[in-house]
Amino acid sequence: VLADGTQALTAFIPNDKAFQILVTKLTGKKPATESATYKAVLKLGVPTVEAVLLYHVVPGATITSAEALKANGARLTTAQGGKIRVKVTAAPSIELVDLDKYLTNPKIVLSRVDINKGNKQIAHGIDRVLLPFQP
């Protein structure tokens, strides 16, 4: 579904800082560079990284930011098989609630929404990494 641009999907794309925050939370040390962040993520292993990345993709649905703002409480099934919940708060703000109960929930970066809008595949930037497990 990811390689086929004709399949409808929504991807929630963590920004670089999101991965830096994740590595800091997992290791207790803030990586000094983007390269150090990348190396630390790779140490998690390919199966873990693949599961985490697939957890950021919702196949079968092209969800725009306007639709997301009306979707408070919706549960989305990811390509990894897990579920994330949409939480719309005042301001407005859109949070994605994952399986990790200890780290801050990712928020959609409202300046980075509807990437690729008008196509079957759409993306939204998020400020944290969604986790299908508790670290």
Side-chain angles (χ1 to χ4, degrees):
V1 76
L2 296 174
D4 182 358
T6 66
Q7 298 294 316
L9 66 82
T10 301
F12 298 102
I13 310 298
N15 59 23
D16 290 344
K17 187 174 181 181
F19 284 101
Q20 185 182 54
I21 291 168
L22 176 65
V23 169
T24 302
K25 295 290 185 181
L26 293 176
T27 67
K29 297 178 183 176
K30 182 177 179 181
T33 65
E34 187 174 317
S35 177
T37 302
Y38 177 76
K39 288 176 185 175
V41 169
L42 285 182
K43 287 181 182 178
L44 297 172
V46 172
T48 299
V49 173
E50 182 179 65
V52 168
L53 293 178
L54 288 173
Y55 193 60
H56 287 76
V57 177
V58 178
T62 303
I63 305 164
T64 65
S65 58
E67 293 167 331
L69 284 168
K70 298 175 186 173
N72 189 41
R75 295 193 184 280
L76 308 174
T77 301
T78 71
Q80 177 266 351
K83 293 190 184 292
I84 54 177
R85 185 171 53 87
V86 178
K87 181 179 176 185
V88 180
T89 61
S93 176
I94 304 167
E95 289 183 21
L96 301 172
V97 181
D98 59 15
L99 290 180
D100 177 39
K101 297 176 183 175
Y102 302 107
L103 298 178
T104 303
N105 288 325
K107 289 184 182 176
I108 293 178
V109 179
L110 294 180
S111 63
R112 299 296 303 154
V113 296
D114 300 330
I115 300 164
N116 210 31
K117 187 176 180 180
N119 295 296
K120 289 188 176 188
Q121 298 183 340
I122 194 167
H124 306 292
I126 57 176
D127 67 352
R128 299 280 195 280
V129 176
L130 286 161
L131 293 177
F133 53 80
Q134 292 182 0

